[in-house]
Amino acid sequence: MAKIKPFKALRPRSTQVEKVATLPYDVFSEQEARDIVRRQPESFLKIVRPETVFPEGTDMYSDEVYAKASEMLREEVANGFMKEEDSECYYIYRQIMSGRSQTGVVACFSVDDYLNNVIKKHEYTTHDKEADRTKHIEVCSAQTGMVFLAYQDKYDLSSIIDGITVRDPLYDFTSKDNVRQTVWKVDDASEIEAITAAFGNMDSLYIADGHHRCASAASVCCRKREENPDFSGNEEFNFTMAVAFPQNQLYIYPYNRVVKDLNGMTGKQFIRALEQTGFVVTRVENGVFQPRKKGEMAMFLGEDWYKVEATHKVIRSDSVGSLDVSMLQDFVLDGLLGIKDPRKDKRVEFVGGIRGMGELERRCRNDMTLAFAMYPTSMDELFRVTDDGLVMPPKSTWFEPKLQSGLFVHTI
């Protein structure tokens, strides 16, 4: 049973939303973030990446950097760019990318549901990233980014949502990544009650993206409970801001890998090792090979693309082992190349599938040696792993479109 509540969002005025809204903090390199903030000083990116307003080389984890984020958030309110709602609301949030639409409910979700595994995780968090977002929330007294949740198709909210989205929207604009962003405010008491009840019938919610944001909200909540032992459970710090979308509207891109070296092997030796491990490797004569089904990978080595097919020797049936990304990690990256922890090993990097196959070629010609393009993980696979109480290898999923930061802030 999922517990949610409406909230008084701090949000941009409609006339300012296009200037304020930005992609999430963690999709940009430091230089990319600095360039955006320099060109677009109204962007909310300066608040979620406050080091961008300091000289290069400034420690992004210093106290003065976090304090600046809080100061700039207050300035946004003072200068009229952002305003808090008069009453608690839900929001309906629709994104349309390349003709494909996903429509979700923005709300505050119970931290206890995260702690008790009603809100389920599919990957581990890293200490540094979790500590960063935890301190950002604490210093700003606000959650500035949304968690991206999914719910199963059997929970159908379409009749409620359809009745709301026929009205005039609160926001309707095309973001800089060419995604149409539309938001409707829900402040009618009967509609709020219906949405709350619909989520109350859900057994589980699943984190699609935003594990660090959710974990950080939970960390802040636990600390505040220790400081306030008489807490009621209704305080804002007991909830995390998120948007929940139905499973059937979500699309997962592959998360590809590029590797620095072949662990002392030549190209021919590496291909031979792949074949001995349990893969069929076929050189592509013309153009690029795009994986078309589970168990297929594309590999770029030298100046050639190869089709790499799994055989029974490497195919497993358990929920984690059966993932293509697990097969690659266990039998190739670890088994052949000695990359045991891809979260820490600098010899491997991850490239979102939305960047295309050309990006993999570019990296191999620039600073890497080997690339693997994956067949995307499915939502059913994500649900199966999390329902088993397990986690996927790092960077198993890449969801698009990304949520915009700056549309809503949850003050705690």
Side-chain angles (χ1 to χ4, degrees):
M1 179 176 191
K3 179 181 178 181
I4 69 169
K5 66 180 286 294
F7 66 111
K8 292 183 178 181
L10 180 64
R11 60 176 182 80
R13 295 186 181 276
S14 298
T15 55
Q16 305 294 338
V17 65
E18 291 186 58
K19 297 178 181 178
V20 173
T22 180
L23 287 170
Y25 78 100
D26 53 355
V27 304
F28 301 107
S29 68
E30 181 178 345
Q31 191 56 56
E32 287 171 335
R34 287 183 177 278
D35 289 344
I36 290 170
V37 171
R38 185 177 63 254
R39 295 193 311 267
Q40 303 161 22
E42 302 93 345
S43 173
F44 199 73
L45 188 60
K46 68 179 183 288
I47 293 171
V48 292
R49 293 287 296 270
E51 75 275 12
T52 57
V53 302
F54 288 84
E56 291 188 24
T58 300
D59 180 6
M60 65 182 293
Y61 303 123
S62 66
D63 290 344
E64 64 175 341
V65 169
Y66 293 103
K68 186 64 175 177
S70 178
E71 176 189 328
M72 290 188 292
L73 183 59
R74 293 194 303 270
E75 288 174 351
E76 293 294 278
V77 178
N79 66 23
F81 270 53
M82 302 188 78
K83 183 179 184 299
E84 187 174 72
E85 292 283 7
D86 295 328
S87 61
E88 292 188 335
C89 307
Y90 289 133
Y91 301 88
I92 304 301
Y93 180 24
R94 175 174 292 160
Q95 297 178 292
I96 300 177
M97 175 182 175
S98 302
R100 184 179 57 81
S101 173
Q102 58 187 41
T103 306
V105 175
V106 179
C108 279
F109 292 74
S110 170
V111 167
D112 284 321
D113 282 350
Y114 173 80
L115 297 173
N116 297 330
N117 211 36
V118 173
I119 297 175
K120 298 183 176 182
K121 316 118 182 115
H122 72 261
E123 69 178 32
Y124 292 120
T125 58
T126 59
H127 173 75
D128 289 348
K129 289 183 69 175
E130 184 177 331
D132 167 52
R133 288 302 99 180
T134 298
K135 190 167 184 178
H136 194 277
I137 293 171
E138 288 180 326
V139 175
C140 292
S141 294
Q143 297 157 0
T144 56
M146 287 188 290
V147 179
F148 185 158
L149 301 175
Y151 58 86
Q152 293 174 316
D153 292 339
K154 64 181 179 180
Y155 303 112
D156 187 3
L157 276 69
S158 59
S159 60
I160 301 172
I161 291 173
D162 289 347
I164 295 167
T165 56
V166 295
R167 303 197 290 255
D168 290 337
L170 179 68
Y171 302 138
D172 191 3
F173 67 100
T174 299
S175 53
K176 294 171 183 65
D177 56 341
N178 203 34
V179 177
R180 186 176 178 183
Q181 314 278 346
T182 311
V183 173
W184 292 264
K185 183 167 76 171
V186 185
D187 55 4
D188 177 82
S190 62
E191 291 174 338
I192 289 175
E193 183 179 354
I195 291 172
T196 304
F199 278 91
N201 290 326
M202 295 184 186
D203 297 324
S204 301
L205 291 160
Y206 302 80
I207 299 177
D209 200 4
H211 284 79
H212 290 91
R213 290 186 280 278
C214 206
S216 296
S219 294
V220 173
C221 173
C222 291
R223 291 183 191 180
K224 286 189 174 291
R225 287 178 174 182
E226 291 176 359
E227 296 167 0
N228 302 275
D230 295 327
F231 71 92
S232 67
N234 295 318
E235 298 89 351
E236 294 299 325
F237 61 73
N238 294 287
F239 296 86
T240 185
M241 180 175 65
V243 55
F245 295 97
Q247 169 191 1
N248 60 12
Q249 294 182 13
L250 300 181
Y251 184 81
I252 303 177
Y253 283 80
Y255 222 144
N256 301 322
R257 276 77 168 139
V258 289
V259 184
K260 192 75 172 177
D261 60 71
L262 299 180
N263 201 26
M265 290 180 277
T266 65
K268 289 183 179 179
Q269 288 172 334
F270 178 67
I271 290 173
R272 179 59 179 160
L274 275 177
E275 293 171 333
Q276 291 175 339
T277 299
F279 296 93
V280 176
V281 183
T282 307
R283 181 175 173 273
V284 178
E285 293 296 331
N286 296 302
V288 177
F289 172 71
Q290 186 81 43
R292 295 166 295 188
K293 62 181 181 180
K294 188 172 171 57
E296 285 185 349
M297 299 181 290
M299 180 177 75
F300 188 74
L301 177 62
E303 287 295 324
D304 295 315
W305 281 100
Y306 297 83
K307 176 182 178 181
V308 181
E309 299 173 89
T311 69
H312 70 279
K313 290 177 66 176
V314 294
I315 294 174
R316 292 170 292 179
S317 60
D318 62 287
S319 59
V320 175
S322 63
L323 300 172
D324 283 10
V325 287
S326 295
M327 181 175 59
L328 176 68
Q329 174 58 40
D330 295 345
F331 291 101
V332 183
L333 298 183
D334 182 2
L336 298 180
L337 299 176
I339 300 171
K340 297 188 177 300
D341 188 348
R343 292 181 297 172
K344 298 179 180 179
D345 199 314
K346 302 300 184 183
R347 295 169 57 217
V348 64
E349 294 182 18
F350 303 91
V351 180
I354 196 170
R355 292 182 178 267
M357 306 293 274
E359 176 65 9
L360 301 181
E361 292 187 14
R362 187 192 71 80
R363 290 298 304 274
C364 287
R365 290 171 178 144
N366 183 28
D367 60 338
M368 293 291 179
T369 297
L370 175 69
F372 286 98
M374 311 302 296
Y375 186 74
T377 303
S378 71
M379 286 300 300
D380 284 338
E381 288 176 317
L382 186 154
F383 286 175
R384 183 185 174 203
V385 169
T386 51
D387 285 342
D388 286 347
L390 302 173
V391 295
M392 297 179 174
K395 311 298 185 183
S396 293
T397 58
W398 180 283
F399 285 89
E400 286 285 348
K402 299 294 185 186
L403 306 179
Q404 291 281 298
S405 291
L407 296 181
F408 316 98
V409 173
H410 176 220
T411 57
I412 62 169

